[in-house]
């Protein structure tokens, strides 16, 4: 009996360009927030906290839309090849990012140090989600 | 039932976000030594915004043997009032502030808070009310001056009417019986107006007419617009009425929204709105005598030397020098009006001050929304506040009015400006 290994591609190997753009935009936005937080931390210049707030808001928009794409992908794919880890990472990014937005809404230094810690975590999670999401799939080995 | 359970589940999941302790009752935080609980920070602010409804047949509630009358309606946001020597009443109308939204939060909070205020357009004018026959009804209503810029504080001395716009202090010449200003006002002094987060400029005048005192609010809740924005803010200026020269008279007063001179002693008093977002019972708004050269804490500390960690860099020296105010009115009541009483107001209210409380937004259980009387003895506050005018906010959660300025008419009445229903109320003892 001969087993023939056939690579079947029931879905494109890479993310849709729009999905990819949304996902790729997430890291620079949350990273920008983290850098702004570091600037506020070291300078006490409150304008940096404002920058961080808007960057986080942008990060939430991008990661939120990417999350919707990922959710759609979960249902579209057959056999669960789209690893749910990508989806779960994005969920974590968005929830912690949202909490971070609320923390940053506190006035002046009340956002610190929690805001900085959350920015670090969210940025790392966003990098992980992007790495998993954009890595080339091996395809389905039947 | 299912739905109810779902809501409970949702509410409980919100606990994570808001630490939703449901009881922040009015702790009766009154007097010189209020209890100051620990600071609370939460992810979602506790908020209850006024739900405006018309008065209809209702009226504010006043003590027995007092009457209340709406003496002017359909005004354009009345804030402070002044009784002229001939008994005419001037009403300053308008809305100020041009603070831009700095954060996503400001956009959202601005929208939410606007629901609890009037939607009428800013009057930017002074309206004159006249009671021709002395029956307590003001049948004549004329525009005394217009094209002002969010006028708020009013003061009068010997033929000179001073008006504190949100950006400058101006003077009108006034003759007894005038119903309209004879011309545009003369400038006395520029007032700090960049951003104008707290835009109201409170005003009073020394008994000899030499000095004007101007209350200038901070440009933020707690320095979130940066320290540079706070130059010349959160203080009371003393302005020379003749030359317009000014100096800071007292500092560290976050938002001194009304000033008044105590009869006999000539002492300056103020009501001040303190900071938000550190809990339902912090920080008490207060009534205080204002000491020349005194520092009252903002932003570095509150109620004397209680450090506010939200301010960076901190300043331990300033904290050490901070004066604790005289009398707590309770947290978030938003005191906006102050007037010393006279014996003509009736025995129970003869000695003390009336305080107009606009009402809270930054706590779950609303407080304020009334006019209280703080009794004085030997020239100092003595005893808890007594409700004088209530019924602005009802148990049904609806709000019909929000008191701002209060003025004692020496003929025997309290004039209350209501900037939600755009009404001026007159409360008088039954003769």
């Amino acid at each position: 009996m001969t087993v023939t290994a056939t690579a079947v591609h029931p879905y494109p190997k890479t993310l849709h360009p729009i999905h990819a753009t949304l996902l790729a935009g997430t890291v620079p936005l949350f990273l920008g927030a983290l850098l702004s937080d570091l600037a506020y931390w070291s300078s006490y210049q409150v304008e940096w906290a404002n920058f961080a707030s808007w960057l986080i808001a942008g990060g939430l928009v991008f990661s939120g839309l990417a999350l919707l794409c990922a959710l759609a992908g979960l249902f579209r794919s057959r056999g669960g090849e789209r690893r749910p880890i990508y989806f779960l990472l994005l969920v974590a990014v968005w929830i912690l990012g949202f909490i971070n937005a609320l923390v940053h809404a506190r006035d002046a230094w009340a956002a610190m140090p929690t805001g900085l810690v959350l920015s670090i975590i969210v940025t790392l999670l966003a990098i992980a989600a992007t790495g998993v999401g954009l890595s080339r799939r091996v395809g389905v080995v039947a | 039932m299912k739905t109810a359970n779902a809501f409970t589940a949702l509410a409980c999941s919100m606990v994570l976000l808001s630490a939703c302790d449901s009881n922040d009752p009015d702790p009766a935080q009154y007097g010189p030594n209020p209890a100051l609980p620990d600071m609370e920070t939460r992810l979602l602010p506790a908020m209850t915004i006024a739900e405006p409804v018309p008065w209809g047949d209702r009226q504010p509630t006043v003590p027995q043997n007092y009457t209340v009358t709406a003496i002017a309606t359909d005004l354009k946001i009345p804030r402070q009032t002044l009784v002229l020597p001939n008994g005419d009443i001037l009403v300053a109308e308008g809305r100020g502030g041009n603070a831009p939204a700095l954060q996503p939060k400001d956009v959202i909070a601005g929208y939410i808070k606007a629901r609890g205020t009037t939607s009428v357009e800013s009057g930017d004018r002074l309206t004159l009310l006249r009671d021709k026959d002395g029956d307590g009804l003001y049948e004549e209503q004329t525009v005394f001056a217009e094209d002002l810029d969010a006028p708020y504080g009013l003061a009068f001395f010997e033929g000179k009417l001073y008006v504190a716009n949100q950006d400058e202090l101006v003077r009108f010449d006034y003759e007894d019986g005038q119903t309209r200003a004879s011309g545009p006002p003369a400038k006395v002094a520029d007032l700090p107006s960049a951003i104008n987060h707290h835009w109201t400029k409170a005003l009073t005048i020394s008994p000899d007419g030499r000095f004007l005192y101007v209350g200038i609010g901070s440009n933020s809740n707690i320095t979130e617009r940066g320290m540079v924005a706070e130059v010349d803010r959160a203080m009371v200026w003393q302005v020379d009425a003749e030359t317009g020269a000014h100096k800071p008279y007292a500092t560290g007063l976050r938002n001194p929204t009304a000033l008044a001179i105590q009869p006999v002693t000539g002492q300056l008093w103020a009501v001040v709105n303190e900071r938000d977002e550190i809990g339902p019972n912090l920080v008490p708004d207060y009534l205080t005598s204002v000491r020349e050269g005194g520092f009252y804490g903002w932003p570095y500390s509150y109620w004397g030397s209680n450090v506010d960690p939200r301010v960076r860099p901190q300043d331990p020296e300033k904290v050490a020098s901070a004066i604790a105010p005289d009398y707590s009115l309770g947290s978030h009541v938003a005191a906006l009006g102050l007037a010393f009483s006279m014996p003509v107001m009736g025995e129970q209210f003869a000695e003390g001050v009336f305080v107009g409380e606009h009402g809270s937004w930054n706590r779950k259980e609303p407080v304020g929304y009334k006019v209280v009387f703080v009794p004085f003895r030997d020239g100092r506050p003595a005893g808890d506040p007594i409700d004088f005018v209530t019924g602005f906010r009802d148990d049904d959660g609806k709000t019909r009015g929000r008191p701002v300025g209060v003025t004692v008419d020496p003929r025997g009445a309290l004039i209350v400006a209501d900037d939600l229903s755009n009404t001026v109320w007159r409360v008088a003892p039954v003769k």
Side-chain angles (χ1 to χ4, degrees), chain A residues 53-129:
Chain A
S53 286
W54 287 107
L55 289 164
I56 291 166
L60 287 176
V61 171
F62 274 64
S63 60
L65 292 172
L67 182 60
L68 290 181
C69 294
L71 184 64
L74 271 188
F75 290 109
R76 275 215 316 251
S77 59
R78 276 176 273 164
E81 303 87 353
R82 229 3 96 87
R83 286 164 296 173
I85 181 73
Y86 166 60
F87 173 76
L88 292 176
L89 277 169
L90 271 183
V91 169
V93 165
W94 203 87
I95 290 176
L96 288 175
F98 183 69
I99 292 173
N100 199 21
L102 295 180
V103 169
H104 275 77
R106 293 175 183 166
D107 285 336
W109 199 252
M112 292 292 158
T114 319
L116 176 61
V117 172
L118 281 170
S119 285
I120 293 170
I121 296 171
V122 171
T123 304
L124 291 175
L125 285 170
I127 290 170

Side-chain angles (χ1 to χ4, degrees), chain A residues 40 44-47 49-50 53-54 57 98-99 102-110, chain B residues 17 41-44 102-105 107 221-226 277 309-310 312-313:
Chain A
Y40 181 39
Y44 291 154
Q45 294 294 323
V46 79
E47 197 69 278
N50 296 327
S53 286
W54 287 107
F98 183 69
I99 292 173
L102 295 180
V103 169
H104 275 77
R106 293 175 183 166
D107 285 336
W109 199 252
Chain B
L17 291 177
T41 47
R42 42 176 89 195
L43 283 177
L44 289 174
L102 275 190
Q103 292 202 349
K105 161 210 191 168
V107 178
N221 173 32
I222 186 68
T223 72
E224 73 277 8
R225 290 179 191 275
E277 296 189 22
R310 295 174 295 176
R312 297 296 156 112

Side-chain angles (χ1 to χ4, degrees), chain A residues 4-30:
Chain A
T4 314
T6 318
V8 182
H9 303 296
Y11 58 92
K13 269 190 189 171
T14 52
L15 298 181
H16 186 279
I18 291 176
H19 185 171
T21 306
L22 292 168
L23 178 59
T26 298
V27 170
L29 286 162
F30 283 126

Side-chain angles (χ1 to χ4, degrees), chain B residues 8-289:
Chain B
T8 313
L10 184 68
C12 289
S13 66
M14 294 297 279
V15 168
L16 244 178
L17 291 177
S18 64
C20 81
D21 64 338
S22 55
N23 51 351
D24 47 18
D26 182 357
Q29 235 172 2
Y30 307 129
N33 300 303
L36 301 171
D38 288 340
M39 293 176 54
E40 276 176 40
T41 47
R42 42 176 89 195
L43 283 177
L44 289 174
M47 278 203 266
T48 300
I49 303 296
E51 272 182 69
V53 292
W55 282 98
D57 294 334
R58 301 201 194 199
Q59 283 202 315
T61 310
V62 294
Q64 242 186 354
N65 298 321
Y66 285 76
T67 59
V68 58
T69 323
I71 58 170
T73 53
D74 297 319
L75 294 168
K76 293 184 171 175
I77 323 185
R79 306 285 192 175
Q80 297 288 340
T81 55
L82 175 81
V83 178
L84 289 162
N86 70 343
D88 289 353
I89 295 171
L90 278 175
V91 187
E93 300 161 78
R95 176 198 292 117
N98 42 31
L102 275 190
Q103 292 202 349
K105 161 210 191 168
D106 299 329
V107 178
I108 299 163
Y111 171 76
I112 294 175
K113 283 198 242 174
R115 290 190 310 180
T117 59
T118 182
S119 53
V120 166
E121 124 192 37
S122 173
D124 291 334
R125 64 179 189 185
L126 303 182
T127 292
L128 183 136
L129 312 176
R130 174 168 292 174
D131 174 10
K132 279 195 282 202
D133 46 11
D135 62 353
L137 301 173
Y138 287 69
E139 44 294 283
E140 210 174 295
Q141 182 172 329
T142 54
V143 174
F144 184 85
E146 50 205 336
D147 297 327
L148 299 167
D149 186 1
Y152 185 83
L154 300 170
F156 182 83
F157 185 80
E158 288 185 357
K160 303 259 190 289
L161 168 67
Y162 298 92
V163 180
N165 285 321
Q166 67 165 332
D167 62 340
E168 63 175 3
L169 180 58
V170 298
R171 181 187 64 232
F172 290 95
D173 291 322
Y174 170 85
E175 276 176 42
D176 225 30
Q178 236 178 323
T179 55
R180 186 162 178 86
S182 40
K187 181 195 284 196
V188 178
D190 283 315
L191 300 176
S193 60
I195 304 176
N196 259 0
H197 180 108
H198 291 125
W199 61 269
T200 61
K201 298 298 190 291
L203 186 66
T204 194
I205 191 162
S206 64
D208 61 4
R210 271 188 68 198
F211 295 112
L212 292 146
Y213 297 95
V214 185
I216 303 158
S218 66
N219 243 339
S220 62
N221 173 32
I222 186 68
T223 72
E224 73 277 8
R225 290 179 191 275
M227 288 302 212
V228 178
E230 304 301 341
V231 173
D232 279 334
R233 307 298 302 214
M235 58 177 67
V236 171
W237 273 10
Q238 185 187 57
V239 180
D240 188 307
E242 200 63 44
T243 67
H246 74 264
K247 66 166 191 180
Y249 185 76
T251 58
L253 299 147
R254 179 175 174 274
N255 191 13
T257 46
L259 303 171
I261 298 287
Q262 189 170 19
V264 187
T265 64
Q267 169 70 46
L268 177 68
W269 287 72
V271 288
V272 177
N273 286 217
E274 260 290 357
R275 61 204 78 196
D276 294 320
E277 296 189 22
I278 48 175
N281 299 318
L282 281 180
V283 169
D285 293 344
Y286 57 82
L287 163 74
T288 193
S289 56

